[in-house]
Amino acid sequence: MATRKVLACAATAMIALAAAFTGAYAQNYPARAITLVIPFAPGGSTSIVGRAIADKMSELLGEKVVVDNRPGAGGTVGTKAVAKSDPDGYTLLLGYTGTLAIGPSLYKNPGYDPRKDFAPIGMIGNAPNSLVVHPSFPAKSVAELIAYAKTNPDKVNFGSAGAGTASHITGEYFARAAGIRLVHIPYKGTGPALTDLLGGHIPMAFAPIPASHANVAAGKLRALAVTSTTRSSLLPEVPTMMEAGLAAFDASLYYGLVAPAGTPRPIVDRLNKALRDALASEEVKKQLGNDGTEITPGTPEDYALSIDKDERKWSHLVKASGVEQE
């Protein structure tokens, strides 16, 4: 009995010591540069969002937040790397619908679980894709496009940023919701897809609004709809898919920050505060507003619920589309 008491006391002391160490460690955090992994190539919307957040959080935390672009396999390469990193608060990930909601169902072995392998820090915001067509395409509305595709099954191509990307699955989602058959043309990024669309080599594409709205404004492309439930401030005259007649259609893309699972809660809370303060700053509001991102800050628990809801929704869409990547 005495031995048990000694062991219990020792265990309690170790727990208290560990808690004290964690608290002291968190108080001194950060003591060096933090790496923010963006699991896509530079230049896209994820980089725009990530760099805006990294720059402001660097000011607020007093240590540099360094952006590290690690593209590959639809964003799953960089995401997996963060999941396997030390949970010390010095390696973070720009979470994204494509990697935390689509990738786990799309790839046979992505190498991570979006619910178990990360400690959510907080939501950043959401942004829709746009459905854009070449001016020569006969359809001037979503209804006309659907009617045209029904009379021309398997003859209307749509471009995306690549097989398994959010723009690809959004296209499959649209075709299924509209009851039409489209032919997917994958590209190595949004830029090449829009280049071919502008050249008239494909008739339509799903593309992030920041990448498409300048060409829409110049009359080089025609926007038929946005894929969110509310209109975009960058394309206020363009209807949502729901307004265009597709009930309950929502393909918003969410951004947030996560750390590896096991990151001490005091560090998560420190990062959440810095993130929320960054999102409240005028410069970040302007940068993300110009990118078409609607800012939606919240708690770590809010983001955990969002990740769960987003993954359940997109996993259903991925399975329904029949798309699968190795």
Side-chain angles (χ1 to χ4, degrees):
M1 183 67 71
T3 302
R4 288 182 181 178
K5 286 184 178 179
V6 170
L7 290 174
C9 289
T12 300
M14 290 179 65
I15 291 171
L17 183 63
F21 176 79
T22 298
Y25 179 80
Q27 280 185 341
N28 296 323
Y29 173 86
R32 55 186 170 86
I34 298 167
T35 297
L36 173 60
V37 173
I38 298 176
F40 296 94
S45 293
T46 49
S47 285
I48 293 171
V49 171
R51 288 183 182 279
I53 294 299
D55 289 346
K56 191 60 182 178
M57 287 183 68
S58 295
E59 293 179 27
L60 295 167
L61 292 169
E63 290 287 349
K64 186 71 176 174
V65 178
V66 181
V67 168
D68 180 8
N69 289 92
R70 295 194 206 176
T76 60
V77 170
T79 302
K80 178 181 177 181
V82 175
K84 307 302 180 186
S85 298
D86 291 335
D88 55 8
Y90 289 99
T91 305
L92 309 179
L93 173 74
L94 182 74
Y96 177 59
T97 292
T99 51
L100 298 183
I102 295 175
S105 295
L106 182 71
Y107 291 87
K108 288 184 177 180
N109 184 23
Y112 59 88
D113 184 308
R115 295 176 180 83
K116 297 178 180 178
D117 292 336
F118 299 101
I121 293 167
M123 181 87 80
I124 294 172
N126 69 85
N129 269 313
S130 57
L131 167 53
V132 286
V133 300
H134 190 268
S136 65
F137 191 61
K140 292 181 171 58
S141 69
V142 171
E144 290 181 7
L145 188 158
I146 293 171
Y148 181 86
K150 284 183 175 179
T151 58
N152 295 275
D154 298 318
K155 293 183 180 179
V156 179
N157 299 336
F158 79 93
S160 80
T165 59
S167 55
H168 173 203
I169 303 303
T170 297
E172 301 288 354
Y173 176 19
F174 168 69
R176 183 178 179 84
I180 57 178
R181 298 206 306 267
L182 302 173
V183 179
H184 175 230
I185 307 295
Y187 289 85
K188 293 182 178 180
T190 297
L194 289 182
T195 296
D196 261 16
L197 179 60
L198 289 164
H201 302 295
I202 53 174
M204 61 177 281
F206 285 88
I209 288 177
S212 65
H213 87 278
N215 287 310
V216 171
K220 295 179 181 179
L221 294 176
R222 183 188 306 130
L224 301 188
V226 295
T227 64
S228 54
T229 56
T230 57
R231 294 195 181 199
S232 167
S233 58
L234 292 183
L235 296 172
E237 73 288 351
V238 178
T240 66
M241 285 288 193
M242 291 175 65
E243 290 174 324
L246 295 181
F249 192 102
D250 179 17
S252 296
L253 308 176
Y254 291 90
Y255 302 101
L257 286 188
V258 298
T263 300
R265 181 61 193 234
I267 290 178
V268 170
D269 289 341
R270 179 81 193 279
L271 289 167
N272 177 265
K273 184 180 186 306
L275 173 61
R276 294 174 78 163
D277 288 346
L279 293 173
S281 69
E282 291 304 316
E283 58 263 51
V284 171
K285 284 182 180 179
K286 182 177 180 180
Q287 285 174 292
L288 298 193
N290 290 340
D291 183 58
T293 300
E294 179 186 347
I295 294 174
T296 54
T299 65
E301 288 75 21
D302 292 334
Y303 191 29
L305 288 173
S306 176
I307 290 171
D308 178 66
K309 179 181 177 182
D310 214 27
E311 196 281 333
R312 282 188 283 109
K313 169 188 171 179
W314 285 94
S315 64
H316 173 73
L317 294 173
V318 169
K319 290 172 184 174
S321 73
V323 179
E324 188 177 83
Q325 299 289 104
E326 293 294 333

